[in-house]
Amino acid sequence: MKKHIIFTGGGTGGHVYPAIAIIENLKKEGYDISWIGSKKGIEYKIVKGLGLKFYSIPSGKLRRYFSFQNFIDIFKIFIGFVASVVILIKVRPNLIFSKGGYVTVPPIIASKMLKIRSVTHESDFTPGLATRINSKFVDRILVPYNETQKYFKGLIKDKVVVTGNPVREDFFNPSMEKGKDIMGFKTNKPTILVLGGSLGAKEINDVVLAAKDDLTEKYNVYHQMGENNYIEIEEDSYKSIPFINNSIADVIKATDLVISRAGAGAIWEFATVGVPSLLIPLTVGTRGDQVFNADYFVNKGISLKLSGSDVNKQNLLNVIDNYFNKTKKEMVGNVSTFKNSNSVDNICRIIKELI
Ligand SMILES: CC(=O)N[C@H]1[C@@H](OP(=O)(O)OP(=O)(O)OC[C@H]2O[C@@H](n3ccc(=O)[nH]c3=O)[C@H](O)[C@@H]2O)O[C@H](CO)[C@@H](O)[C@@H]1O
């Protein structure tokens, strides 16, 4: 009988796309795969697009502080737990793999209760709340960096394994020609790709739009604004798009610099393709994970960073010009040494050992 693995994760693309890199590999080896997530989350659209069976459960936000909304969310989490127990009893998977996000906590606790093996993977430099809760129940905690292990002190030896971040196959062999065709610029200027992460980033949109006229004198700009903040712009050297579907690896390959949030998945993708980045990490309302993510790549000479009150039009223009006039060659050299070939293989090996 075919082995069955249930993946769970959601809320943002960063809790879904890395899992797809692993699923691509497991499907080739004949595993049955399904997904537990929320129908309201980004995961539903992405996972259904892949033709995988999707089990929807209610999802409630976990908060570190008290509010009335907590009661409603705790109730949703409880219903999500009951639903997870029912799904796991029905499917009886050989393993459950969590890619993070609030929605993963009920199924992971349910899997512990039903004695089903489980793994959680963290993409960020510092673990999120869901990963920290899940870490108490899973058989393995997979982390991207050696330094991330320190956040799980006190757990049994060998429970935490450093695997890096899984990146989908497209990023290992992207097509520059296809990327150029997608962007469709007619002039031969250097090209900048602006990304706001899976949900878009208003702070980045605002500062890049403020610098638009200066930027387009020298560069072509392809700007992913996010579905919610989208403004249509179609000029010779400036094009906007709400979201780049499917061919984002090709688009990255055809650019000279990516300006982006410092989401963990995205920055590993840029480095895997071999393009330097200017990172503008999300700092408000977070545990600071993107700042740590960004600093790791800045220290490797692969990325530049603009953060907090430094994010303004003039600084943006200065950093970009300095990159193209001075540091580009060195940074392209640094990023070309970034090796990310083994992450998916390592993770699949751990899954198979546990099964
Ligand atoms: C606001 C928020 O909570 N951000 C978190 C979220 O970011 P976010 O959801 O943006 O995740 P990442 O930056 O890790 O990945 C974004 C993913 O979306 C894809 N993509 C993006 C734009 C586009 O137009 N097309 C497209 O396909 C990218 O290729 C990438 O695979 O998860 C990351 C990984 O846990 C965290 O580091 C971030 O802090």
Side-chain angles (χ1 to χ4, degrees):
M1 216 174 93
K2 273 185 168 184
K3 301 261 198 273
H4 193 133
I5 301 172
I6 291 192
F7 280 75
T8 179
T12 73
H15 294 142
V16 185
Y17 288 115
I20 291 170
I22 305 163
I23 292 172
E24 282 171 347
N25 209 297
L26 292 170
K27 273 177 97 177
K28 277 190 213 147
E29 298 193 26
Y31 287 83
D32 266 339
I33 310 286
S34 50
W35 193 285
I36 297 180
S38 162
K39 250 188 176 164
K40 292 185 183 150
I42 191 171
E43 63 271 23
Y44 182 65
K45 210 165 109 192
I46 303 171
V47 170
K48 285 302 258 185
L50 292 175
L52 297 179
K53 172 99 185 134
F54 190 94
Y55 296 97
S56 181
I57 61 168
S59 169
K61 191 172 158 106
L62 305 164
R63 291 183 177 79
R64 293 178 185 84
Y65 55 89
F66 182 80
S67 81
F68 176 71
Q69 185 64 31
N70 275 2
F71 288 114
I72 300 168
D73 282 324
I74 288 168
F75 182 67
K76 283 189 188 163
I77 292 167
F78 176 71
I79 301 294
F81 170 74
V82 175
S84 301
V85 171
V86 173
I87 294 163
L88 293 181
I89 289 176
K90 190 172 140 213
V91 180
R92 270 281 153 198
N94 300 83
L95 183 133
I96 175 159
F97 189 105
S98 158
K99 188 57 215 82
Y102 308 125
V103 76
T104 65
V105 174
I108 286 295
I109 296 177
S111 72
K112 177 77 180 174
M113 208 181 87
L114 297 169
K115 298 194 168 44
I116 294 168
R117 295 266 174 162
S118 60
V119 176
T120 190
H121 181 275
E122 174 61 57
S123 290
D124 288 308
F125 195 90
T126 61
L129 185 55
T131 302
R132 278 188 281 130
I133 295 173
N134 287 344
S135 69
K136 312 273 188 272
F137 303 99
V138 292
D139 295 285
R140 293 286 182 284
I141 303 153
L142 314 183
V143 297
Y145 311 107
N146 285 326
E147 294 85 339
T148 312
Q149 294 179 93
K150 68 174 179 256
Y151 296 98
F152 298 100
K153 270 187 193 148
L155 293 174
I156 11 166
K157 196 173 170 293
D158 300 336
K159 190 168 170 179
V160 186
V161 187
V162 181
T163 60
N165 274 332
V167 168
R168 287 167 285 161
E169 235 170 64
D170 299 1
F171 293 87
F172 290 93
N173 202 7
S175 157
M176 187 183 282
E177 283 313 305
K178 212 172 145 203
K180 282 188 175 166
D181 283 352
I182 291 168
M183 290 190 280
F185 290 117
K186 304 273 182 297
T187 56
N188 217 8
K189 297 174 193 167
T191 302
I192 298 173
L193 170 66
V194 182
L195 294 177
S198 63
L199 308 176
K202 192 171 178 308
E203 182 190 24
I204 295 185
N205 292 349
D206 290 347
V207 70
V208 173
L209 284 173
K212 177 170 155 291
D213 293 345
D214 298 275
L215 287 173
T216 50
E217 279 175 21
K218 299 179 204 160
Y219 314 110
N220 290 322
V221 180
Y222 196 70
H223 187 163
Q224 178 248 332
M225 293 185 170
E227 310 275 356
N228 293 337
N229 300 309
Y230 181 62
I231 308 164
E232 190 178 346
I233 303 176
E234 177 79 32
E235 296 175 4
D236 284 349
S237 288
Y238 204 105
K239 295 181 188 199
S240 67
I241 182 164
F243 192 77
I244 305 169
N245 280 309
N246 303 325
S247 305
I248 189 165
D250 303 326
V251 174
I252 294 169
K253 179 74 183 173
T255 55
D256 299 277
L257 176 71
V258 186
I259 300 177
S260 174
R261 280 289 191 225
I267 58 181
W268 277 64
E269 290 169 356
F270 312 149
T272 302
V273 173
V275 177
S277 48
L278 165 54
L279 302 175
I280 305 183
L282 180 68
T283 49
V284 179
T286 75
R287 65 185 187 279
D289 51 322
Q290 290 202 4
V291 177
F292 286 108
N293 291 342
D295 287 344
Y296 186 86
F297 279 73
V298 169
N299 289 336
K300 286 194 171 308
I302 288 177
S303 302
L304 303 160
K305 183 178 88 170
L306 260 187
S307 180
S309 57
D310 289 340
V311 182
N312 60 51
K313 173 184 157 183
Q314 202 47 53
N315 284 345
L316 181 81
L317 292 169
N318 291 345
V319 174
I320 293 173
D321 283 342
N322 195 53
Y323 168 75
F324 281 104
N325 296 335
K326 291 190 183 142
T327 58
K328 181 178 169 195
K329 196 165 167 232
E330 190 189 334
M331 288 181 68
V332 169
N334 293 341
V335 77
S336 71
T337 64
F338 183 83
K339 295 269 177 292
N340 183 24
S341 48
N342 291 329
S343 184
V344 171
D345 290 345
N346 284 344
I347 293 171
C348 289
R349 183 182 42 76
I350 292 164
I351 289 174
K352 286 180 214 159
E353 278 168 14
L354 284 171
I355 288 178

